Amino acid sequence: MPLRLPHWLVTLYKSRWTAVILVAVLGLIGALNHSMWRDEMNVWLIARDSPSWAAFVENIHYDRAHPGLWHLLVAALYHLFGHPIAMQVFHWLLALGSVLLIWRYSPFSHWQKWLFTFGYLPFYEHLVIARNYAVAMLLLFAICTLWPQRQRAYWPLAGLLVLLANSNVYGLLIAIALALTLAIELLFEPRLRHSWLDILCSGVLVTVGCAVALYFILPPSDVADQALGEYVTGLDIRHLLRAIGRIFGGYYVIIPNSKRYLDLIVCGAITLGSCGLVGFRLLKKPYALGFYLLGNGIILGFTYAKFMPNSIRHFGNFYLVLMAALWLAQHYAPSSAITQHMPRVERWQPAAQRWFNRTFAAILVAHLVGGVFLFTMEFFIPYSASRATAAYMRQANLQDEFIVASRDAQMASLSGYFNRPFYFPERQAIGSYTLFFKGTRREVSQPEVMQQVTQLLNQHPKILLVLTKKLETPTPELAIEPIEEFTKAWQNEEYYLYWVTPAGPI
């Protein structure tokens, strides 16, 4: 006899609110349990500690190739609530908004929505880790939802495209792909040219919005650390396979081993096969196919030429382009504009559709496994040791001590949780957030750190030294007493605490 589930369980499965409520409850628990790391807290500290509005805008420009939308939202949260937990709750609401749009407006089947909802991006990366990627996902899904609005006016889509372009660098690339798709559609669909004033104003708005995003993304000439790396020119087969491997990672949540050609070739073949099946699926929806090709092509070109990321928060955007392309396809009637020139393709369509269904299911399952696993692991291993370290420091009444902290880039989360600035040897100054200025910041070794500590002891009877690596530099003229160490963290945000006093006259 076939297994029959209880009626109440079937009802819960079929209700969209079951998934939304589960994500809301579990997501809030996960977000509040999450120990924020430097890339999250640094934005909060820029909003909190920038001395003026002009300084705040300048600081955004120096914050490692990020446009300003998320910084502005966080600044508003700081002035309204004053505690970084507000940023986490707001980020949770953004992720919940994406889930609501998926369940209410997307064309995916019920089981596909369940798998996507608890996948890596919506259930972990863009739900728990408070950065600018969740706002981009929400805006992308809002654009997919409002796509039919272009038949009446383009300005609502234009406004969303401007916001998407200013969310993060990948949001800009996807916004460009969407804008180009709209432009190509306008070129071939005269019925959509309902108001040239609306089209012109919308085009100008998107252009200006992208220009503003580029202003903040492109690093100033005096930036010491080029966050996006150097440009790669010319054809490098291994490098190209590595870039294609990022699409594989975005789809299957596994990064191929770039040191092994076999891994790169196998994963590259699977990637091209998967993308080919998506192409077959969209052949009768030319504009959705155009967006898929443009989105993948632009991000792949950026990945190859400029920035080869190692985190799914970056190459997961290939996955979002896939979801958006399939979503946009529902807004178009089938067309033979492409297939009429490819008569043999029609015979391959049924088989290609079956293989696409299997491939898409495999992609969704891979994201489900990754999302549930990493969401669960956060309850056993904190993302950063900063919150635990700050709690210990408060309990030990260390708030009034003079604190030297190095490396500064890993101290933003600790400064945020401890709610006070530190002395950074990298800048030889007091601060909280980290910006990579030329001439005002440089990397320092442990011996250099201890040299500065020795000099600072002329002004302070003792110093609380906080390091991200265990102290290995012998310093006979100093008396160094280990206090505590906090090494349980996913990210390289471990902390070692020491009391430092003069061993004798300095």
Side-chain angles (χ1 to χ4, degrees), residues 93-133:
L93 289 172
L94 293 175
L96 198 57
S98 297
V99 171
L100 283 167
L101 290 178
I102 279 285
W103 278 91
R104 176 65 180 86
Y105 297 105
S106 77
F108 305 111
S109 66
H110 211 76
W111 67 268
Q112 288 171 342
K113 290 177 181 179
W114 272 98
L115 292 178
F116 176 81
T117 297
F118 292 94
Y120 181 92
L121 294 181
F123 190 58
Y124 178 66
E125 184 73 49
H126 295 175
L127 176 66
V128 172
I129 302 173
R131 295 199 64 202
N132 54 17
Y133 300 101

Side-chain angles (χ1 to χ4, degrees), residues 327-492:
W327 191 334
L328 292 180
Q330 78 154 338
H331 298 308
Y332 294 96
S335 168
S336 60
I338 297 176
T339 55
Q340 66 180 343
H341 304 292
M342 308 166 65
R344 294 184 180 181
V345 168
E346 289 286 352
R347 291 181 295 177
W348 302 340
Q349 281 291 99
Q353 181 63 47
R354 287 195 300 272
W355 278 103
F356 166 79
N357 292 338
R358 295 166 183 165
T359 300
F360 188 46
I363 291 170
L364 292 173
V365 169
H367 275 260
L368 174 71
V369 172
V372 172
F373 173 75
L374 292 173
F375 181 90
T376 304
M377 284 302 297
E378 279 252 0
F379 290 91
F380 299 96
I381 304 175
Y383 206 72
S384 165
S386 57
R387 186 162 63 178
T389 306
Y392 172 85
M393 292 169 69
R394 280 193 299 271
Q395 187 177 13
N397 295 316
L398 302 177
Q399 293 90 334
D400 297 326
E401 302 295 337
F402 184 79
I403 301 174
V404 175
S406 181
R407 177 179 180 251
D408 62 340
Q410 279 110 309
M411 293 295 169
S413 50
L414 183 58
S415 176
Y417 278 121
F418 198 50
N419 198 30
R420 59 154 292 181
F422 306 138
Y423 175 90
F424 293 135
E426 289 78 7
R427 282 177 272 166
Q428 299 186 35
I430 300 291
S432 57
Y433 54 83
T434 299
L435 299 173
F436 294 84
F437 289 95
K438 235 180 196 177
T440 61
R441 181 195 180 276
R442 65 180 183 87
E443 296 291 340
V444 295
S445 63
Q446 268 195 8
E448 291 177 283
V449 171
M450 300 314 295
Q451 280 182 348
Q452 292 189 42
V453 168
T454 302
Q455 294 170 358
L456 288 166
L457 283 169
N458 288 319
Q459 307 165 35
H460 306 277
K462 66 177 179 178
I463 286 175
L464 176 60
L465 177 63
V466 183
L467 300 176
T468 54
K469 292 183 180 179
K470 201 163 190 173
L471 183 60
E472 297 176 350
T473 301
T475 314
E477 66 272 21
L478 300 178
I480 301 173
E481 176 190 351
I483 305 174
E484 190 59 83
E485 58 185 50
F486 300 86
T487 59
K488 196 173 182 181
W490 279 24
Q491 287 291 334
N492 59 338

Side-chain angles (χ1 to χ4, degrees), residues 220-375:
S221 58
D222 61 340
V223 169
D225 176 22
Q226 296 293 329
L228 298 179
E230 300 295 331
Y231 284 101
V232 174
T233 57
L235 179 61
D236 183 325
I237 298 300
R238 179 186 288 274
H239 193 72
L240 178 61
L241 289 172
R242 288 180 63 210
I244 294 174
R246 274 19 184 205
I247 304 179
F248 181 88
Y251 284 3
Y252 299 102
V253 203
I254 299 172
I255 306 177
N257 186 345
S258 61
K259 296 180 180 179
R260 297 176 55 181
Y261 249 121
L262 181 61
D263 285 15
L264 291 174
I265 291 171
V266 170
C267 292
I270 294 173
T271 301
L272 294 177
S274 301
C275 293
L277 289 170
V278 177
F280 267 102
R281 172 70 173 77
L282 297 175
L283 267 180
K284 293 189 176 181
K285 307 292 181 77
Y287 297 114
L289 175 60
F291 165 70
Y292 179 72
L293 296 176
L294 284 167
N296 277 338
I298 292 172
I299 297 177
L300 181 63
F302 174 74
T303 303
Y304 177 87
K306 187 63 176 171
F307 183 52
M308 189 76 71
N310 288 315
S311 172
I312 195 172
R313 72 176 62 92
H314 301 291
F315 52 77
N317 286 280
F318 288 112
Y319 176 59
L320 292 181
V321 166
L322 167 64
M323 299 300 293
L326 296 174
W327 191 334
L328 292 180
Q330 78 154 338
H331 298 308
Y332 294 96
S335 168
S336 60
I338 297 176
T339 55
Q340 66 180 343
H341 304 292
M342 308 166 65
R344 294 184 180 181
V345 168
E346 289 286 352
R347 291 181 295 177
W348 302 340
Q349 281 291 99
Q353 181 63 47
R354 287 195 300 272
W355 278 103
F356 166 79
N357 292 338
R358 295 166 183 165
T359 300
F360 188 46
I363 291 170
L364 292 173
V365 169
H367 275 260
L368 174 71
V369 172
V372 172
F373 173 75
L374 292 173
F375 181 90

